[in-house]
Amino acid sequence: MSDWREFDQNPVSHSAAHHLTTIGDLHDEVGYARVSDVARHLGITRGSVSVTLKGLRHRGLVVEDEHKHLSLSVEGQRIAQGIRTKRILIQALFRDVLGVPDEIAEQDACKIEHLISDMTAEAAGSLLEGLEDLSEDQRIRSLVESARSSSDSSSPFPDTATQQLANRLLKKAAAIESEDS
Amino acid sequence: MSDWREFDQNPVSHSAAHHLTTIGDLHDEVGYARVSDVARHLGITRGSVSVTLKGLRHRGLVVEDEHKHLSLSVEGQRIAQGIRTKRILIQALFRDVLGVPDEIAEQDACKIEHLISDMTAEAAGSLLEGLEDLSEDQRIRSLVESARSSSDSSSPFPDTATQQLANRLLKKAAAIESEDS
DNA sequence: TCGATGAGTTTGGCTACCCAAACAGGTTGA
DNA sequence: TCAACCTGTTTGGGTAGCCAAACTCATCGA
């Protein structure tokens, strides 16, 4: 079994993840983010935020200007964007692929967004992109073509059971189609 | 946004989840589980396990016989089995549907197994069951039939983008098939 | 029988979070 | 001008985990 304690040696904790994304969100939405704003947004006290941000400033993820306005460093932005992206992808994966209600999908995504590996998040993105593409007829056609040639490396799907599913469905559909008629 | 602090008010923590599943595993594999065995298995000290298990005994999830042998209560077994099931389903979801390498899928599953909602885990199970079914030609045929009628409530897939994908692929494949010939 | 070994517990220390409360500094309105 | 208010920080307290180290007990072998 892989080391179960990798859990808490993540680059950013659940708490830190939400502090960072909140600062980013506030900055984008209202133009600034102060300790009190972050605290209100997260539902915790100013004191807690003050202490946590001291650590994040020290780690170079958050910077503070002369007006006590907080913003993310380049590295902080990179991390926050990564977490936001993972949250969205996981939520969409659970909602659109698994069929879980949006609210449940959001709760689950919120809990695991900072724990998911880049590779898994990217794979979810590829799958969802594939699903998205399918809503446009022209792309469906190219998908079908690539599924037919069965060795097209530019397939929007990773080489997974899902692609195999698509391939099998295509071939079997044609077979059954002719058989039935 | 749903309350981000639901994170740490889960029924069982990451640590507790692994203590419980370890006791269950050891009990099944070697017939007994002692504090030292659990500690060795988890890679932490006996002292840490001793303290943690005091809490789990107090919560009625772990019981200890006169020989200091640990086992899970009925409730403990229920929780451990739930976590094990979620770990397997999530790992399979990431590996077989997203195409992530097994090792990465396992690491990710280990981190989030105790955080995923029952509904999401069940939905993953349904999807995987559907993929499993597809490997048998007879079931593929019935899937295709149900996709054609497009209102079959007994479909092995939940009504999601994945089913819609299957439906679209089937319809479009037939259309393009005739168009090309 | 007695020392070594192993098992389980307890204790003090550490990190990471949270809170409440006290404190300090700036702004604002009467 | 000055009290009321808002902001941010600090401090003491609490929980959850982890470790190292000391301690207790039981067992086992020479």
Side-chain angles (χ1 to χ4, degrees):
Chain A
M1 186 175 63
S2 61
D3 188 357
W4 66 285
R5 278 178 302 167
E6 285 182 18
F7 180 78
D8 38 42
Q9 61 193 64
N10 257 310
V12 3
S13 68
H14 181 67
S15 173
H18 280 271
H19 279 74
L20 292 177
T21 56
T22 296
I23 290 174
D25 289 346
L26 286 172
H27 206 272
D28 292 349
E29 290 166 15
V30 301
Y32 64 90
R34 297 167 305 174
V35 169
S36 294
D37 303 318
V38 175
R40 206 171 7 254
H41 203 275
L42 291 179
I44 61 181
T45 65
R46 300 192 307 273
S48 298
V49 172
S50 180
V51 171
T52 298
L53 287 186
K54 189 158 32 173
L56 294 177
R57 273 201 307 270
H58 191 258
R59 288 169 58 187
L61 303 180
V62 170
V63 292
E64 192 182 83
D65 68 13
E66 65 275 17
H67 304 304
K68 295 275 188 184
H69 286 188
L70 306 163
S71 56
L72 301 176
S73 69
V74 172
E75 176 67 2
Q77 284 180 33
R78 195 187 62 76
I79 293 177
Q81 190 53 50
I83 291 166
R84 238 190 308 258
T85 299
K86 285 178 181 175
R87 174 159 61 215
I88 291 169
L89 289 175
I90 296 294
Q91 184 176 350
L93 175 71
F94 290 172
R95 183 190 57 220
D96 298 339
V97 175
L98 298 186
V100 170
D102 187 56
E103 193 186 342
I104 306 289
E106 183 187 358
Q107 283 173 17
D108 283 353
C110 170
K111 289 179 185 175
I112 70 179
E113 62 191 8
H114 67 297
L115 297 171
I116 292 295
S117 66
D118 289 349
M119 189 174 287
T120 297
E122 281 165 18
S126 296
L127 174 61
L128 291 162
E129 192 182 351
L131 291 174
E132 195 61 35
D133 288 353
L134 283 176
S135 63
E136 301 171 12
D137 278 12
Q138 292 181 328
R139 301 204 181 178
I140 286 184
R141 174 151 184 157
S142 73
L143 173 67
V144 168
E145 291 299 337
S146 77
R148 261 189 203 148
S149 67
S150 80
S151 65
D152 187 341
S153 63
S154 70
S155 165
F157 285 108
D159 182 20
T160 66
T162 300
Q163 167 148 29
Q164 292 164 28
L165 158 63
N167 290 342
R168 279 198 301 271
L169 281 176
L170 286 169
K171 291 170 183 169
K172 293 293 173 181
I176 292 170
E177 195 74 34
S178 59
E179 183 184 324
D180 280 355
S181 59
Chain B
M1 186 173 62
S2 62
D3 189 358
W4 66 285
R5 278 178 303 168
E6 284 182 20
F7 180 77
D8 38 41
Q9 61 194 68
N10 258 311
V12 5
S13 69
H14 181 66
S15 172
H18 280 270
H19 279 74
L20 292 178
T21 56
T22 296
I23 290 175
D25 289 345
L26 287 172
H27 205 271
D28 292 348
E29 290 166 14
V30 299
Y32 63 90
R34 297 167 304 174
V35 168
S36 295
D37 303 318
V38 175
R40 208 174 3 255
H41 204 274
L42 291 179
I44 60 181
T45 65
R46 299 193 307 272
S48 298
V49 172
S50 180
V51 171
T52 299
L53 286 186
K54 189 157 35 171
L56 294 177
R57 273 201 308 269
H58 192 258
R59 288 168 59 186
L61 303 181
V62 170
V63 293
E64 192 183 83
D65 68 11
E66 65 274 19
H67 303 304
K68 295 274 188 186
H69 285 187
L70 306 162
S71 56
L72 300 176
S73 69
V74 172
E75 176 67 1
Q77 285 180 32
R78 195 187 63 76
I79 292 177
Q81 190 51 52
I83 291 166
R84 238 189 308 256
T85 299
K86 284 179 182 176
R87 175 159 59 213
I88 291 169
L89 289 175
I90 296 294
Q91 184 176 350
L93 175 71
F94 290 172
R95 183 189 57 219
D96 298 340
V97 175
L98 298 186
V100 171
D102 187 56
E103 193 186 344
I104 307 289
E106 182 187 359
Q107 283 174 17
D108 283 353
C110 170
K111 289 180 185 174
I112 70 179
E113 63 193 7
H114 66 296
L115 297 170
I116 292 295
S117 66
D118 289 349
M119 190 173 287
T120 297
E122 283 165 17
S126 296
L127 174 61
L128 290 163
E129 194 181 350
L131 290 175
E132 196 61 34
D133 289 351
L134 283 177
S135 62
E136 301 169 11
D137 277 15
Q138 293 182 326
R139 301 205 182 178
I140 287 184
R141 174 149 184 158
S142 73
L143 173 67
V144 168
E145 291 298 338
S146 77
R148 262 187 203 148
S149 67
S150 81
S151 65
D152 187 342
S153 63
S154 70
S155 164
F157 284 109
D159 182 21
T160 67
T162 301
Q163 168 147 29
Q164 293 164 30
L165 157 64
N167 290 341
R168 280 198 300 268
L169 281 177
L170 286 170
K171 291 171 184 169
K172 293 293 173 179
I176 293 170
E177 194 74 33
S178 60
E179 183 184 327
D180 279 355
S181 59

